[in-house]
Amino acid sequence: MDIFEAIKSRRSMGLVSDEPVSKEFIDQILEAGTWAPSHYRTEPWKFFVLTGDSRHRLGETLAQIEAQKMEDPSSESNQKKLMKIQEKPFRAPLIIAVAVEPSDNPRALIQEEHGAVYAAIQNMLLTAHALGLGGYWRTGKPAYDPAMKKLFKLSDRGEILGFLYFGHPKRAVPEGKRKPVEEVTSWLASESDFDLL
Ligand SMILES: Cc1cc2nc3c(=O)[nH]c(=O)nc-3n(C[C@H](O)[C@H](O)[C@H](O)COP(=O)(O)O)c2cc1C
């Protein structure tokens, strides 16, 4: 698939089947992640490949984080809500949790370490798309909760930056929509053009 075509046609696709994703595909997705750029070549990404029952632990942690916010987690309605949350990781046969572990290199800036991992995630989503898989980047506040760091044994500065849900799509992805380039771009050809910003 042509790179521009892949970039444009990739969509978040959550409707996937239970059919396992092959090891060969997973390896390709992971390797694509590692080819992202990183300042000072810190390669600050960490990948956690979740399949099978390991998704239970993720579900339990998501529910535990949600329960902390509830006044009465044991109420019937909250129990129902928590059960639903616990099942969330089973929406796809494969989840790759992607974390940043920032380098100790004093020159490495935290924003750039995160940026490198975000670039890795996009590489992974595009590769999965090129392989015909559906992919979905999921986060939300629980991703950044201390309980999540603990589950994946991350350092104090480590952070989960994405749960990438992958599977074989059940239907074709819809067309996407973006703001026109003109709306988000300023062309600066001379010093005085800055005055127009
Ligand atoms: C950092 C980040 C976190 C995201 N987290 C979620 C999420 O928690 N839930 C969700 O439905 N989509 C999430 N998304 C996916 C966006 O909703 C999706 O990319 C956007 O709607 C554009 O759709 P597209 O991916 O099909 O182009 C996230 C995207 C990014 C970049």
Side-chain angles (χ1 to χ4, degrees):
M1 193 187 286
D2 164 73
I3 181 88
F4 192 60
E5 175 59 28
I7 289 169
K8 272 188 83 170
S9 61
R10 179 213 56 81
R11 291 278 73 73
S12 297
M13 164 45 88
L15 205 61
V16 294
S17 73
D18 290 337
E19 184 190 339
V21 176
S22 70
K23 172 83 166 51
E24 189 193 344
F25 277 14
I26 298 174
D27 285 342
Q28 273 194 60
I29 293 168
L30 294 170
E31 196 184 347
T34 67
W35 281 103
S38 61
H39 202 169
Y40 306 114
R41 300 192 186 190
T42 56
E43 303 184 36
W45 35 77
K46 287 273 178 283
F47 307 119
F48 303 91
V49 181
L50 282 82
T51 56
D53 267 359
S54 68
R55 292 170 297 167
H56 262 305
R57 288 291 294 280
L58 175 59
E60 274 170 15
T61 305
L62 289 171
Q64 180 197 326
I65 291 166
E66 187 64 30
Q68 280 167 5
K69 292 190 285 177
M70 293 173 168
E71 254 181 41
D72 179 13
S74 62
S75 76
E76 199 181 324
S77 65
N78 278 340
Q79 278 296 307
K80 256 190 186 165
K81 206 172 161 192
L82 293 173
M83 287 291 274
K84 249 187 163 175
I85 291 169
Q86 204 167 321
E87 287 305 306
K88 279 186 171 183
F90 290 89
R91 289 175 290 188
L94 166 68
I95 301 171
I96 303 181
V98 184
V100 61
E101 273 296 358
S103 159
D104 293 334
N105 181 336
R107 292 184 303 172
L109 304 174
I110 194 82
Q111 297 94 327
E112 297 188 347
E113 296 292 84
H114 284 228
V117 177
Y118 286 133
I121 290 176
Q122 177 70 346
N123 277 3
M124 295 165 82
L125 292 172
L126 287 172
T127 299
H129 173 50
L131 291 169
L133 296 174
Y136 216 120
W137 184 349
R138 299 183 192 275
T139 52
K141 263 191 174 175
Y144 315 116
D145 193 278
M148 202 55 84
K149 279 192 191 193
K150 199 172 162 204
L151 178 67
F152 290 101
K153 299 192 171 61
L154 299 177
S155 71
D156 283 350
R157 298 201 309 143
E159 195 106 74
I160 293 286
L161 297 185
F163 292 108
L164 311 184
Y165 285 60
F166 293 117
H168 295 273
K170 283 188 178 169
R171 60 166 168 76
V173 290
E175 236 181 67
K177 197 171 181 293
R178 289 297 187 263
K179 291 175 194 168
V181 170
E182 302 79 54
E183 207 181 297
V184 293
T185 309
S186 302
W187 294 72
L188 307 165
S190 70
E191 285 190 46
S192 60
D193 285 341
F194 282 95
D195 301 332
L196 304 171
L197 295 178

